[in-house]
Amino acid sequence: MAHNDWILDVLADLKTFASANGLGKLAEQLDDTTLVAAAEIASQKEEARTRSNGEHGQFGSSAGGVGRYQRA
């Protein structure tokens, strides 16, 4: 299981509990929350994959060379 995937299991358990105890609106909200969590986890995985492939994000190594050169 990946680093943050455990939260999806926790959300599933909470939804099961909510459904079994007559908390239908909470169960529905947990469905939405699960979708948000899954999307964010997927985004983190993609960012990590991009970094490991040597690509840079918005502020990668080509961010203008700030601090690279000093004046004599």
Side-chain angles (χ1 to χ4, degrees):
M1 184 175 293
H3 186 250
N4 291 326
D5 287 350
W6 61 270
I7 193 68
L8 299 175
D9 291 333
V10 171
L11 291 170
D13 289 345
L14 288 170
K15 181 186 173 199
T16 298
F17 176 86
S19 295
N21 289 283
L23 302 170
K25 290 186 183 196
L26 177 58
E28 289 176 18
Q29 183 63 50
L30 288 164
D31 274 336
D32 294 342
T33 303
T34 299
L35 291 174
V36 171
E40 286 193 320
I41 290 167
S43 177
Q44 286 180 341
K45 287 179 182 177
E46 182 59 32
E47 287 174 12
R49 190 175 13 250
T50 299
R51 283 191 304 271
S52 70
N53 288 337
E55 298 174 22
H56 301 286
Q58 181 179 1
F59 299 107
S61 63
S62 61
V66 175
R68 284 188 184 175
Y69 304 103
Q70 294 180 345
R71 292 183 183 205

